[in-house]
Amino acid sequence: MSRYTLWSTTVLIVGLPLATATISPSWADDTAPKIQPQDAERDAVAVQDSTALSDEIITLAAENELLASDALRGHHIRVIVDDGIVTLSGEVPSLLAEEIAVGLVQRVRGVMTIVDQIEVERSTQEDASLRLDAAAALAADPATHKSSVVVTVQDGVATLTGAVATYGMKVLVENVVSAVHGIMEVQNQITTAPHDQLSDEELRQEVTELLQNSVQLDQIQLTTVVTDGRVVLNGTVTSSFQRSCAEQLAWRAGAKDVDVRGVVIDWQHANPELRTTRYEKATDEQIQKAVSRALRYDPRVLSFAPTVTVNKGVVTLSGIVSQIAASRAAERAARFTVGVHAVQNNLKVEWPLETPSDEQIAEYTLAAIHRDPWLNDEEIIVDCENAHIELHGIVENEFEKGHAEWTAISQKAVVHVDNYLTVRATWVPKSDEQIAAALKDQLDLMFVNDAENVVSSKVVDGVAIIEGSVETWYLWQAVMDAAVSAGAREPHMMLQVQHGTPASLRYAGPHSYIAR
C-alpha cells in the first residue's frame, strides 16, 4: 500500500445557403461561453420577439440557483436583470467557480443572455509556479498527457498555444488548466487540425445527425446553413443554455465558425409533441449510430472506439478504455441520446502503457487535489494499491466529496476509486460530555474485544480528539465517521495507522490540538 495525505493548516469551475436542414440538437458542452458587455446588444436582437418573464422573477430565480450551490459563495455574486439580460458581478475564488455561476444562471427560465463581469480572486502564487501546476495537470490527465500544448502564465492569466486534432480536445485542455487553483483566466489560442476536412454537405449532415438525437434540445427545431465550413443556425430555443448547446455541437462537428445570432430565445417555445415523436421513432439501429457518433466527438473516448449495441432502447457499452473518466464520459454520452432507456456500462479500464507505481499514482493524485480550487485546503488522504484509489478524510459538503472523486478518476492509470470521505455535518451544539459519551458508545461497539486497535478519545470545546492506533485507513475513516455521527464539531485525528504509514513528505502525521 502506498498512502499519501494532504492536511490543511487548520484542523480542519450569414452567409448564402449551400446546405440546409431542419434539426433538433443533442449534445452540449458543459462550459458556458463568457459573454462580454459589448455582445449583449447583438444578442438582444435574437430575443426581441420572446414573451419575457419579469426581471424581478428572473433575478430571484438566478439568486436562488447561486445560493443553493455548494460549489459557490452565492452571496458574493450580484445579479442585475434588465429585459432578460443578466449581468453577473462580484468576486469568486476560482475560474471554475465563475464558469459554474454562469452555467447555473444560463439555465434559468427567461434569461436571454449573460454579461459576465465576475472577477476571480488574485492568487498569491507566482506565475512560474502556476505554469508548473498547469503543465503537471495536463501531464497527469490521461486524455491530455501526450498533447504538445504550451502553457504560459502572466499575472495569473494562462495562455494556451499549440495544435490538437479536434475542437473537443481544445476545450478539454482549457478545462484542465481552468481547474488549477490560482489561474484567473485562460486565453485559448490552440488551433485544431482535423485529419479529414468535411465538405459543406458532409458538415451539414454531421451537425444534423449530432443534433437530431439530443435530450437537451429534443423539444425544439433549428435550421442549419453551411457555407465554406461556416455554420449558421436559425430557429427558436427555450434558454440561453440551449443556444450554447447548439453552438458547441456545431463546433464539435468541425465548423470553422459558428453563427447563432439567428437563434431566438423564447422560454415558452418547448414542443412536447416533438419530443414524443422523436423518442417513438428512434429505432435501435438509429440509436446505435447516434451513440457511436457522439462517442467519436468526445475527446476522452474517441481513441478507444467502444462497441455499442442496442436492444429495445437499452445501450450496452463494451471494450477497453484507459481511464475511469472515459468510461463515465461514454456512459454520459449514451444517456444524452434520444431513445436511450438505459445504459449497461461494461467498459473495462486498463492503462495501455507501463503502469506507474502505486506511489507515483498516489503522488500525482494528491498533487491534483492540492491544485484543485475546492480541495486544496481540505484534509484528504490518498491510499493506492494496484492502481485502485481510496479517498479518506473530511470535506465541507457533498459537492466537494463528489468533486474529489472526479479529480481522482481523472488521473492517468487510476482504474478504480472508492470514496470514503466524510462530509462535515452542520454542527448542533452539544455539551462535551454528551459528545464524549456518544462517541465512546460507538467506539466500544466498533472495537469490542479487539486488541489490535486501541482508540481513546476526549472532547474539548466540541472537538473530538482521538488518539491511539488502528490497523487500516478504512478503520481510521470509520472512527472519523463515528466522531461526526456523535455530534463533534470537528474530529481531530491523532491516530496512527499500523499498516503502511504514508511515506509522502506532505504527510504531517499526528499533530497537537490547539483549542480555538
Side-chain angles (χ1 to χ4, degrees):
M1 277 280 199
S2 301
R3 301 166 178 86
Y4 298 82
T5 181
L6 172 64
W7 293 95
S8 63
T9 53
T10 59
V11 185
L12 269 111
I13 177 183
V14 186
L16 297 175
L18 293 188
T20 307
T22 299
I23 52 177
S24 158
S26 158
W27 180 94
D29 187 83
D30 289 333
T31 304
K34 187 169 184 175
I35 299 177
Q36 301 298 335
Q38 61 266 27
D39 296 325
E41 183 177 352
R42 182 204 70 188
D43 290 334
V45 174
V47 300
Q48 59 188 1
D49 295 330
S50 175
T51 302
L53 294 169
S54 73
D55 290 342
E56 292 76 12
I57 291 175
I58 297 172
T59 300
L60 181 60
E63 289 176 341
N64 286 341
E65 287 293 329
L66 296 173
L67 290 170
S69 174
D70 286 337
L72 300 170
R73 299 180 304 200
H75 58 286
H76 288 180
I77 302 175
R78 186 182 183 192
V79 180
I80 298 177
V81 184
D82 184 10
D83 290 336
I85 298 176
V86 180
T87 299
L88 300 178
S89 60
E91 194 171 61
V92 294
S94 69
L95 184 55
L96 280 186
E98 177 188 7
E99 293 175 353
I100 288 175
V102 172
L104 287 172
V105 176
Q106 203 178 32
R107 289 162 171 80
V108 172
R109 181 176 294 178
V111 171
M112 302 306 180
T113 193
I114 297 174
V115 179
D116 181 4
Q117 296 181 349
I118 296 173
E119 299 291 336
V120 178
E121 294 175 1
R122 182 169 292 278
S123 172
T124 58
Q125 204 168 344
E126 297 290 336
D127 287 342
S129 178
L130 289 174
R131 183 186 63 79
L132 290 175
D133 281 353
L138 291 173
D141 190 289
T144 64
H145 75 286
K146 289 185 177 181
S147 72
S148 57
V149 171
V150 176
V151 184
T152 58
V153 181
Q154 183 173 1
D155 295 331
V157 178
T159 300
L160 309 179
T161 56
V164 295
T166 66
Y167 176 80
M169 181 59 73
K170 176 180 178 177
V171 172
L172 180 59
V173 170
E174 179 176 341
N175 289 344
V176 171
V177 175
S178 296
V180 174
H181 179 57
I183 295 293
M184 300 172 58
E185 182 182 343
V186 176
Q187 296 182 353
N188 195 341
Q189 299 177 6
I190 299 173
T191 60
T192 57
H195 298 297
D196 300 316
Q197 186 62 49
L198 301 179
S199 68
D200 285 351
E201 173 58 28
E202 290 171 332
L203 179 57
R204 182 201 64 79
Q205 183 65 29
E206 199 69 10
V207 173
T208 301
E209 293 294 337
L210 281 170
L211 301 181
Q212 70 183 359
N213 293 288
S214 172
V215 298
Q216 304 223 9
L217 302 157
D218 56 4
Q219 295 182 330
I220 66 171
Q221 283 184 307
L222 297 174
T223 59
T224 183
V225 174
V226 182
T227 307
D228 296 331
R230 184 184 184 207
V231 175
V232 179
L233 298 178
N234 295 282
T236 305
V237 295
T238 62
S239 67
S240 175
F241 171 70
Q242 284 192 329
R243 184 168 64 179
S244 177
C245 292
E247 181 179 2
Q248 289 292 325
L249 274 172
W251 280 113
R252 296 261 174 164
K256 295 179 181 178
D257 190 22
V258 182
D259 187 346
V260 294
R261 288 176 295 178
V263 179
V264 176
I265 299 173
D266 180 355
W267 65 272
Q268 301 180 104
H269 181 70
N271 182 357
E273 293 182 3
L274 192 61
R275 167 190 284 174
T276 300
T277 299
R278 286 171 175 158
Y279 277 82
E280 289 177 348
K281 290 184 176 181
T283 66
D284 285 349
E285 182 181 3
Q286 290 171 332
I287 295 171
Q288 191 276 333
K289 290 180 178 179
V291 173
S292 297
R293 178 177 284 103
L295 298 182
R296 291 202 305 269
Y297 287 100
D298 192 305
R300 293 196 179 277
V301 185
L302 60 88
S303 63
F304 304 115
T307 300
V308 180
T309 58
V310 186
N311 183 22
K312 297 181 180 179
V314 177
V315 173
T316 300
L317 303 174
S318 56
I320 297 175
V321 295
S322 70
Q323 50 183 292
I324 311 174
S327 175
R328 294 195 180 180
E331 182 175 339
R332 181 180 183 274
R335 293 188 185 278
F336 275 52
T337 301
V338 164
V340 174
H341 301 307
V343 178
Q344 180 67 42
N345 191 345
N346 294 335
L347 290 170
K348 296 181 180 179
V349 180
E350 295 181 7
W351 185 246
L353 308 176
E354 182 179 353
T355 303
S357 67
D358 288 339
E359 290 82 1
Q360 290 172 320
I361 296 174
E363 180 70 25
Y364 58 66
T365 301
L366 183 63
I369 290 171
H370 184 68
R371 290 189 301 266
D372 187 86
W374 284 283
L375 307 174
N376 67 96
D377 287 332
E378 296 295 359
E379 300 174 356
I380 295 178
I381 293 166
V382 177
D383 187 354
C384 183
E385 183 175 20
N386 296 327
H388 287 59
I389 289 287
E390 290 183 3
L391 298 177
H392 299 280
I394 190 166
V395 292
E396 292 292 338
N397 48 55
E398 290 292 342
F399 168 81
E400 287 191 353
K401 180 174 180 177
H403 187 62
E405 182 174 339
W406 175 255
T407 300
I409 69 172
S410 298
Q411 308 309 304
K412 62 185 180 185
V414 174
V415 299
H416 183 75
V417 175
D418 286 317
N419 189 350
Y420 297 117
L421 291 169
T422 297
V423 176
R424 280 187 182 88
T426 301
W427 190 58
V428 178
K430 293 182 179 180
S431 69
D432 290 349
E433 291 75 16
Q434 289 175 312
I435 298 171
L439 179 54
K440 183 178 184 301
D441 288 344
Q442 293 197 43
L443 294 179
D444 286 346
L445 288 173
M446 191 180 301
F447 299 118
V448 61
N449 299 325
D450 189 347
E452 297 296 324
N453 300 285
V454 181
V455 180
S456 63
S457 64
K458 61 181 178 179
V459 180
V460 179
D461 191 24
V463 176
I465 304 170
I466 304 170
E467 301 176 287
S469 66
V470 291
E471 291 184 279
T472 66
W473 282 109
Y474 183 82
L475 289 173
W476 183 95
Q477 187 72 49
V479 174
M480 175 179 280
D481 290 344
V484 172
S485 176
R489 175 166 63 86
E490 187 69 41
H492 186 73
M493 305 295 288
M494 299 176 67
L495 285 174
Q496 295 279 11
V497 177
Q498 299 171 24
H499 299 294
T501 299
S504 170
L505 293 176
R506 292 195 184 92
Y507 180 65
H511 46 282
S512 300
Y513 167 70
I514 301 175
R516 297 176 181 176

